[in-house]
Amino acid sequence: MDVKAGPSKTTEGIEETARPATASQSRLVWWAFKKHRLALVSAWILAGMMLVIVLCEFVAPFGSRHRDAEYTTAPPQVLKLWSDSGFGLHVDGYTSEQDPRSLRITYEANPEDRVDVGFFVKGEEYELFGFIPWDRHLIGPTDPDDPMYLWGTTTDGQDLLSQVVYATRVSASVGIIGVLLAFILGIVLGAISGYFGGWADNAIQRVIELIMSVPAIPLWLGFAAALPADMNPVTRYFIITTILALVAWTGLAREVRGRFLSLRREEFVTSARLDGSSHGRIMFRHMLPSFSSHIIAALSLSIPGMILAETALSWLGMGLRPPAVSWGVQLQDASKWSVLSGAPWLLIPGLCVVLVVLAFNFVGDGLRDAADPYKH
Amino acid sequence: MSTQQPRSSLFTKKREGALQWPAPHLSRRGLVLSGATALTASAAGCSWFSTEPEGRGGGGGDKGREAPMLAERVEAGELPPVEERLPKEPVVIKVAEDMGVYGGEWNTAITGASDGPWLFRTINYEPLLKKNRDFTEIELNLASAFEPNEDASEFTITLREGLKWSDGEPLTTADVEFAFHDVNLDPDLTAAVPTELTGPDGAPAELEIVDDRTFIVRFSGPKPLFEDNMASGVSGQRFTWYPRHYLEQFHLTYNPNAEQEAIDAGFDGWITRFTNLGNLWNFQWENPDLPTLMAWTCKQPVSSEDYALFERNPYYYKVDEEGSQLPYIDSVRYNIIADVETMFAHALNGEYHFHSRHFNDNAHRADAVDNEESGNYTVLDLTSTYSTDMNIAFNLNHTDVGLRKIFQDKQFRIAMSHAVNRRELIDVLWNRVGEPSQAAPRPESKFYDEAFATQYLEFDAALANQTLDQAGYTAGSDGVRTAADGTKLEFTVAIADDALLGTTWIDAMDMIKDMWADVGVTLHINAQPREVWQAAVDEGDFDCTVWTGDGGAIDETVSVYWYMAAGPGGGAFFARQWSAHYTLGGVQDAEMVEPPPPPITEQHDLYDQFMLEPDEAARDEIFKQILAIAKEQFYAIGTVRGQGSWAVVSNTLHNVGGEMPENPSYGTPSPARPEQWFIQE
Amino acid sequence: MISYLGRRAAYMAATLVAISLVVFVIINLPPGDFVTALTAKYNVMGQGLTEADIAGLRVRYGLDGNVFEQYWHWVTQIVQGDLGTSFEYERPVADVIGPRLGATIGVSFVTLLVTWGLAFPIGVYSAVRQRSIGDYAVTTVGFLGLATPNFLIALVFIYFSVTWFGSVPSGLCSPEWCDSAWNLGKLLDLLGHLWIPMIVIGTGGVAGLVRIIRNNLLDELHRPYVTAARARGVPEKQLLRRYPLRVALNPFVSTIGWVLPMLLVGDIVVGQILGLPTLGPILLGALRSQDMYLAGSIIMILSAVTVIGTLISDLLLGWLDPRIRMGIHQN
């Protein structure tokens, strides 16, 4: 589609020079973007997600290694304000029963056993941003030993809400970091390819064609299986991100190349060249900014692919592995019959994936529509 | 439970079955999706009757001497009458509960062509001798006589008279000779002589053919375990797996053109072709032309796209007490379903007659039990034979000298054992049902030693800390202990991770990670795909690993690798190199980081004696000495003896006979004699 | 034109050679080899292989030579039309792949129809009615297919199929129909099994295609010629049908090349869960057990199809769109 995008950009380039002095292009893009309601809502969702990523220890009621042997696969609780013992935010504790033959443990809410819940409560200690020691949690039981499992617990007795919060940090950042890596590769190689043309273009195009011709999953599987055995989860995580990026940059590079191809004969480029600007300056100072919103749009559209790739890889057992938590790992645990029949709350990570992927898509679409503020 | 169904209900049920059975199923299927599929189902009505067992009017009081499908072929002149097909003295199988009826298809599933073990366990237990259902006694099977000489170095074996391959050709000592010389001892086809065919000095046995039915196997010294070998799944079939009349044409010794013919047929050479058609363990599943002795022979190979099918062998050599030829069931169908959860969905839907693999773990138990009624099946508990469901082995042959010294320190292992809160593991991961135990024989084993099974078992972090302090592991400022030579007590556990094993081990070690952290030991977890893990373990490239506690009962003296540096499959996890030193007779000693210390070699000597001792009681005494050393040395840490796995048994399948052990050596369920199982509503 | 074709063919050949190298490297990246996997398998059965057994197996499977020899062996075989022997299936690779090719192409084709059938109306609608409630609604539906992990939808479908209808829709046929000759009943049975992969794999691609169609159409709708036509009083519907819609059809052609690998990626996961007799699940199995000739051949075939598909789609695009055709000549 980059091929067809060419001619329309010609007009944009011309109009670029006739930009009104009162509103910058980014302002114009923002105005156009605001019209796309869904995109705006999505942008707020993503902002919330970013906050969760940054403040994850604070947002999670329990630490990432908290485990409660008494409550395995316990259902979610409902936050209540009023009970017989008076007003106040609380949840009901559990009573449990085990079937002697099937060994299934069933839980009932027990209104007798009131678990008081508060905001900014004291809980497990942690280090915010990795260096500020703190022990407050956004929400949690006032007595940290009480069971407060708003999204229920996992099959091995961990608080699902906390786990999802920690997984969000891992999975969303796989997407974002991966795309940033892909972005750098894509921009640089796409720019060189489109700006210089000739043999450089030819060589880069062939490489892109090569990578795109090999089906992605075997590529990932091969790389992922090749990772050294004694690798710790953090390194593994970064390497998987890099692998995803190595496969993903090609689309962006094509997009960038297309833009460069159509822009390189524009007058503003020619005049910059006559001014004696270096190639680098022309490429990254003059040409790139003229379609930066397109790039941002393309970026936000490729993040979902990354996130989904992580879930698929982890599901196939080749991505992140337990005990690391990510959406993919959680969904692998959740794609079990027993979850569908007895613990549907464990599918919540799946909802998170859907929500975030949708949000990135709408933001990307909104940006793309808004990228040419003069067009409509 | 199908197996406990009273006999009286058979008749009333059977009548309805023939007519009524397809109907409810059809109506359920009809709902599958919209009208389109409803149409399918009703259009499919006819073929339902013809493919389904119950539609065939077999059974009833007089079932006859052979299956109706074979009787038809006899009538058509395609087969000789049943009297001529059976051996002169067929093996008489005592049915577990009821006389069966002929017909039906045993439906089960595999994950793909690489899932041979399940086929092996279900339809390939036809050795010279056979173990009984309890696995306690050895019976005659293909052999009608099996006589050792005085010192158990020479065995005279007579084949049953009139045994026939599934194509009707007789099984004779010519086949035995071919199997022995041209397959087992042919270095091109079998790289190393199988251990059951070598004498105490490692030299292969000698084979003497006496007549058509009798042969003598002669070893260089006593080989008292040969009898037991000949009753086991693989070893016991080495002499009778290779139909000479069929395989000769592919063997270079008998056909000088075999190489060229193989290349013309698209193989690399005659060895590849021979292997593909009739060697290694998977050939029975792959080659429909291969004559076999199994109850059901291959009609559609396992490498097919949808399913593999095995159909009754008209020349099968076993009968029930009424003289009717077995098997009762017409065919066995292995549906190919790669995903275990999908396979489980089929099981819950009541589609499998017997299945005890892939999904029969704790995690699936609740759903299986809850769906018993709607799926018309029963969950049958299998007896666990594991010492524990997860034993922890430290690599005593570690290449890093610092870690090796720590792992070899018994005090360290004792402390690590005391630091594990097994009760919490049971509550979280074993459905709250299980017993803490060490890697020792189970209570029902004749080798049970309570002190061995329960030593260092109680959870006591203070005691663990104290033990570590006394052993000289001092805690640093970060709380992590260091040995006297400066090596940190920080290491990685390698765990095999695949769909069949589930994630219990990973979760358990993740919990133990916290427990050990409390006593100043840092554990990292490395879950790897099964194949990668295997490669790492085989090369000794690991700190610590976990595996099931094989050898807890039934096969204590065979799967010895939790008690000493020996055993099948590469030997002990805790001492890979010392195991290789023993089993390979020192071939790989150059790679060994350290020669084995006295307790290890003492066990090796005892095991040598064990192998040579003809008297069973004396043999057991020797093995108890080996176990005493294992107890004293405390090589590996046990965790939880869980409830054991289970099988899905359709309520229409009979004669399974109730509970049985789950064990790879036992080959669940083959000693329960699937050939006498039958299907009836 | 001839020289252009010649050059493209040369590039294609070079790409294929490069791909074969990449593929071979990928397959050999993981530690161990097929014999390691086999050892793991037999250990589970309680039948250990001795060191000598293992060495023998390496020789038998041709895994004893160095990597370059193995590569050369493999490539020369492929050039001669021999895909090698699958270790796991112990049969020629062609025999393993052959029977599955039909199902793979069939499932892919039907899925493709679903993708296109959904994407085209959604794309056109959301471009013409940009930012209406309808636009939001249909694009959300399109994205949902993309956003929900395939394995999850497949399992959820199976769950409800069992609990509500008492049937597990795995495979491509019910046991009673698998061997039957083709007739209406078998066709209907097939459709009864095909709908899940169709929906699960198909919806994944809808969102991407919708976006391309929508953007192309939006670009086109703001062209001067459209404005001019509108000014001349051409009715909106006719206006849309004349040219912009034709341009919006371009993506169908330009994606031909990438479609098959995309579908196969979906098939790896979905085929695994649903037990489809397609290439996806055996590719996964082959990669895991390092059955290198089987895995290599499947990836090679797919890559070749992609490369050829790209060439065809480029040629078709040039033929369809004069602007691109001119561009070719300029080059």
Side-chain angles (χ1 to χ4, degrees), chain C residues 3 32 45-46 57 99 198 204 221 237 243 307-308:
Chain C
S3 75
M45 283 175 72
L57 284 169
M198 230 160 68
L221 285 175
K237 279 206 175 141
Y243 293 106
V307 173
I308 295 167

Side-chain angles (χ1 to χ4, degrees), chain B residues 257-507:
Chain B
N257 302 324
E259 181 77 9
Q260 194 50 49
E261 285 171 18
I263 291 168
D264 293 344
F267 295 95
D268 292 344
W270 77 271
I271 298 172
T272 318
R273 187 185 202 189
F274 191 92
T275 302
N276 285 358
L277 296 180
N279 199 6
L280 276 181
W281 298 285
N282 9 3
F283 65 90
Q284 296 100 326
W285 332 133
E286 274 303 334
N287 183 4
D289 296 331
L290 179 81
T292 78
L293 298 167
M294 301 190 293
W296 298 276
T297 65
C298 180
K299 280 282 166 281
Q300 183 161 320
V302 287
S303 55
S304 309
E305 294 74 53
D306 301 314
Y307 65 93
L309 187 71
F310 288 74
E311 208 170 75
R312 71 163 67 248
N313 169 1
Y315 293 91
Y316 196 57
Y317 59 99
K318 294 176 188 167
V319 296
D320 66 13
E321 291 144 293
E322 290 178 355
S324 302
Q325 191 189 25
L326 296 174
Y328 289 134
I329 296 174
D330 280 343
S331 52
V332 189
R333 182 190 173 103
Y334 299 87
N335 296 287
I336 296 167
I337 297 163
D339 187 69
V340 171
E341 290 299 313
T342 310
M343 199 189 271
F344 185 52
H346 283 281
L348 295 183
N349 207 30
E351 292 171 33
Y352 299 148
H353 291 96
F354 184 97
H355 197 94
S356 64
R357 207 178 150 77
H358 306 108
F359 50 72
N360 58 342
D361 54 11
N362 281 341
H364 291 92
R365 187 187 171 92
D367 283 299
V369 170
D370 288 352
N371 283 283
E372 275 181 326
E373 206 172 312
S374 66
N376 193 30
Y377 61 82
T378 307
V379 170
L380 172 71
D381 283 308
L382 302 175
T383 321
S384 170
T385 58
Y386 297 134
S387 56
T388 88
D389 292 352
M390 181 184 87
N391 286 348
I392 305 170
F394 293 103
N395 185 359
L396 306 189
N397 297 148
H398 205 290
T399 43
D400 180 89
V401 66
L403 281 174
R404 186 165 76 233
K405 285 283 162 281
I406 296 170
F407 294 157
Q408 288 183 358
D409 180 0
K410 184 184 168 191
Q411 293 307 312
F412 162 77
R413 299 195 297 267
I414 291 174
M416 291 294 93
S417 180
H418 278 305
V420 175
N421 184 348
R422 294 175 175 80
R423 189 42 63 188
E424 192 173 316
L425 293 178
I426 293 169
D427 281 350
V428 173
L429 299 171
W430 269 269
N431 291 344
R432 300 185 183 172
V433 180
E435 286 293 321
S437 174
Q438 290 298 1
R442 299 170 63 92
E444 60 270 28
S445 159
K446 61 181 169 185
F447 297 108
Y448 180 61
D449 173 356
E450 194 184 343
F452 186 10
T454 56
Q455 61 180 350
Y456 319 121
L457 205 55
E458 66 278 13
F459 168 57
D460 190 338
L463 180 61
N465 269 317
Q466 193 192 333
T467 313
L468 286 171
D469 287 340
Q470 281 167 0
Y473 303 105
T474 48
S477 58
D478 57 351
V480 180
R481 291 174 185 273
T482 0
D485 65 356
T487 313
K488 271 200 159 190
L489 268 67
E490 176 174 2
F491 42 82
T492 305
V493 57
I495 308 175
D497 173 17
D498 76 11
L500 262 180
L501 301 171
T503 58
T504 307
W505 290 344
I506 300 169
D507 295 336

Side-chain angles (χ1 to χ4, degrees), chain B residues 25 28-29 31-33 36-37 39-41 43-44 47-48 51 112-117 120-121 188-192 195 234 266-268 271-272 275-276 279-283 286 300-307 333 335-339 341-342 345-346 348-349 351 357 530-532 534-535 538 547 568-570 576 584 588 664-665, chain C residues 30-32 36-57 60-61 73 77 82 85 88-92 95-96 99-100 155 158 161-162 164-179 184-186 188-193 195 271-277 281 288-290:
Chain B
H25 203 97
R28 278 167 85 201
R29 276 191 47 75
L31 290 168
V32 168
L33 209 226
T37 353
L39 247 177
T40 320
S47 68
W48 270 99
T51 53
S114 63
D115 200 9
F120 193 84
R121 281 168 166 233
D188 287 332
L189 293 174
T190 312
T195 47
V234 179
F267 295 95
D268 292 344
I271 298 172
T272 318
T275 302
N276 285 358
N279 199 6
L280 276 181
W281 298 285
N282 9 3
F283 65 90
E286 274 303 334
Q300 183 161 320
V302 287
S303 55
S304 309
E305 294 74 53
D306 301 314
Y307 65 93
R333 182 190 173 103
N335 296 287
I336 296 167
I337 297 163
D339 187 69
E341 290 299 313
T342 310
H346 283 281
L348 295 183
N349 207 30
E351 292 171 33
R357 207 178 150 77
R530 164 82 73 80
E531 294 80 15
V532 181
Q534 184 73 46
D538 285 346
W547 194 252
R576 236 29 196 186
L584 300 184
Q588 291 185 342
S665 310
Chain C
T36 323
L38 202 67
T39 315
K41 190 173 102 191
Y42 285 115
N43 275 352
V44 184
M45 283 175 72
Q47 303 162 7
L49 297 174
T50 63
E51 292 292 324
D53 274 337
I54 290 169
L57 284 169
R60 176 176 301 154
Y61 289 124
H73 180 64
Q77 266 188 336
D82 177 3
T85 306
E88 187 164 342
Y89 290 83
E90 299 189 345
R91 280 195 298 173
D95 288 0
V96 178
R100 291 165 191 270
L155 192 74
I158 291 181
S161 183
V162 173
W164 292 347
F165 309 126
S167 130
V168 187
S170 79
L172 279 183
C173 54
S174 310
E176 68 275 21
W177 285 109
C178 281
D179 300 320
L184 183 69
K186 184 162 181 171
L188 292 174
D189 179 65
L190 177 71
L191 287 178
H193 283 87
W195 65 277
Q272 172 87 0
I273 298 181
L274 296 175
L276 300 183
R288 281 196 176 148
S289 61
Q290 296 184 275

Side-chain angles (χ1 to χ4, degrees), chain A residues 248-298:
Chain A
W249 65 273
T250 51
L252 201 67
R254 288 195 137 204
E255 176 108 17
V256 172
R257 171 180 175 264
R259 306 277 161 187
F260 268 98
L261 266 183
S262 58
L263 283 183
R264 69 174 172 184
R265 294 210 180 81
E266 292 300 328
E267 285 168 20
F268 74 95
V269 175
T270 318
S271 49
R273 197 174 293 144
L274 290 175
D275 273 352
S277 304
S278 69
H279 287 308
R281 193 179 163 81
I282 296 172
M283 281 196 290
F284 296 108
R285 272 300 170 77
H286 292 274
M287 297 171 78
L288 202 58
S290 69
F291 58 93
S292 53
S293 35
H294 285 276
I295 291 177
I296 297 172

Side-chain angles (χ1 to χ4, degrees), chain B residues 471-610:
Chain B
Y473 303 105
T474 48
S477 58
D478 57 351
V480 180
R481 291 174 185 273
T482 0
D485 65 356
T487 313
K488 271 200 159 190
L489 268 67
E490 176 174 2
F491 42 82
T492 305
V493 57
I495 308 175
D497 173 17
D498 76 11
L500 262 180
L501 301 171
T503 58
T504 307
W505 290 344
I506 300 169
D507 295 336
M509 288 317 287
D510 191 35
M511 289 173 69
I512 290 176
K513 173 189 170 130
D514 289 346
M515 299 168 188
W516 283 355
D518 288 342
V519 297
V521 174
T522 308
L523 179 72
H524 301 290
I525 290 165
N526 181 22
Q528 301 157 293
R530 164 82 73 80
E531 294 80 15
V532 181
W533 171 84
Q534 184 73 46
V537 168
D538 285 346
E539 276 156 35
D541 183 17
F542 69 102
D543 302 337
C544 167
T545 191
V546 298
W547 194 252
T548 46
D550 295 279
I554 283 188
D555 57 347
E556 307 91 334
T557 59
V558 181
S559 302
V560 292
Y561 46 75
W562 287 108
Y563 311 132
M564 62 181 291
F573 291 107
F574 61 81
R576 236 29 196 186
Q577 293 184 344
W578 295 338
S579 305
H581 162 80
Y582 178 62
T583 37
L584 300 184
V587 177
Q588 291 185 342
D589 283 3
E591 297 163 25
M592 216 158 40
V593 292
E594 233 175 40
I600 297 275
T601 49
E602 201 180 320
Q603 278 183 317
H604 287 165
D605 293 344
L606 283 167
Y607 203 51
D608 281 343
Q609 287 177 33
F610 173 87

Side-chain angles (χ1 to χ4, degrees), chain C residues 127-306:
Chain C
V128 176
R129 298 255 182 282
Q130 201 191 358
R131 284 184 204 141
S132 66
I133 300 286
D135 173 20
Y136 289 152
V138 289
T139 40
T140 308
V141 170
F143 283 147
L144 266 181
L146 173 83
T148 325
N150 282 349
F151 54 88
L152 203 60
I153 320 183
L155 192 74
V156 170
F157 275 139
I158 291 181
Y159 178 77
F160 286 114
S161 183
V162 173
T163 48
W164 292 347
F165 309 126
S167 130
V168 187
S170 79
L172 279 183
C173 54
S174 310
E176 68 275 21
W177 285 109
C178 281
D179 300 320
S180 132
W182 276 102
N183 59 19
L184 183 69
K186 184 162 181 171
L187 184 71
L188 292 174
D189 179 65
L190 177 71
L191 287 178
H193 283 87
L194 206 55
W195 65 277
I196 293 187
M198 230 160 68
I199 292 177
V200 177
I201 308 177
T203 47
V206 169
L209 208 53
V210 163
R211 190 184 299 131
I212 297 175
I213 295 171
R214 180 174 182 266
N215 291 333
N216 277 0
L217 202 54
L218 277 178
D219 276 352
E220 214 54 34
L221 285 175
H222 294 99
R223 285 293 157 78
Y225 78 87
V226 178
T227 319
R230 193 176 283 134
R232 266 188 271 120
V234 181
E236 278 296 314
K237 279 206 175 141
Q238 199 185 331
L239 188 77
L240 191 65
R241 228 178 297 131
R242 247 315 136 70
Y243 293 106
L245 265 191
R246 288 190 195 180
V247 177
L249 277 173
N250 276 351
F252 291 132
V253 179
S254 63
T255 50
I256 286 178
W258 316 119
V259 157
L260 202 61
M262 182 202 84
L263 292 176
L264 191 95
V265 166
D267 181 39
I268 286 181
V269 171
V270 177
Q272 172 87 0
I273 298 181
L274 296 175
L276 300 183
T278 50
L279 285 177
I282 58 164
L283 173 58
L284 183 66
L287 281 168
R288 281 196 176 148
S289 61
Q290 296 184 275
D291 187 348
M292 68 179 186
Y293 295 128
L294 181 58
S297 300
I298 297 178
I299 304 179
M300 264 323 280
I301 290 173
L302 273 171
S303 307
V305 169
T306 311

Side-chain angles (χ1 to χ4, degrees), chain A residues 65 67 69-70 72 96 98 101-105 107 155-156 229-230 315 321-323 335-338 341, chain B residues 341 344-345 348 365-367 369-370 372 428 431-433 497 506 510-511 513-514 526-529 643:
Chain A
R65 301 202 56 81
R67 194 190 305 268
E70 233 179 299
T72 54
S96 69
Q98 184 170 26
R101 200 162 115 72
S102 78
L103 306 183
R104 188 192 290 284
I105 303 168
Y107 295 89
T155 45
D156 50 354
D230 49 352
W315 185 80
R321 289 170 178 285
S335 52
K336 300 266 155 60
W337 188 272
S338 56
S341 72
Chain B
E341 290 299 313
F344 185 52
L348 295 183
R365 187 187 171 92
D367 283 299
V369 170
D370 288 352
E372 275 181 326
V428 173
N431 291 344
R432 300 185 183 172
V433 180
D497 173 17
I506 300 169
D510 191 35
M511 289 173 69
K513 173 189 170 130
D514 289 346
N526 181 22
Q528 301 157 293
Q643 213 210 2

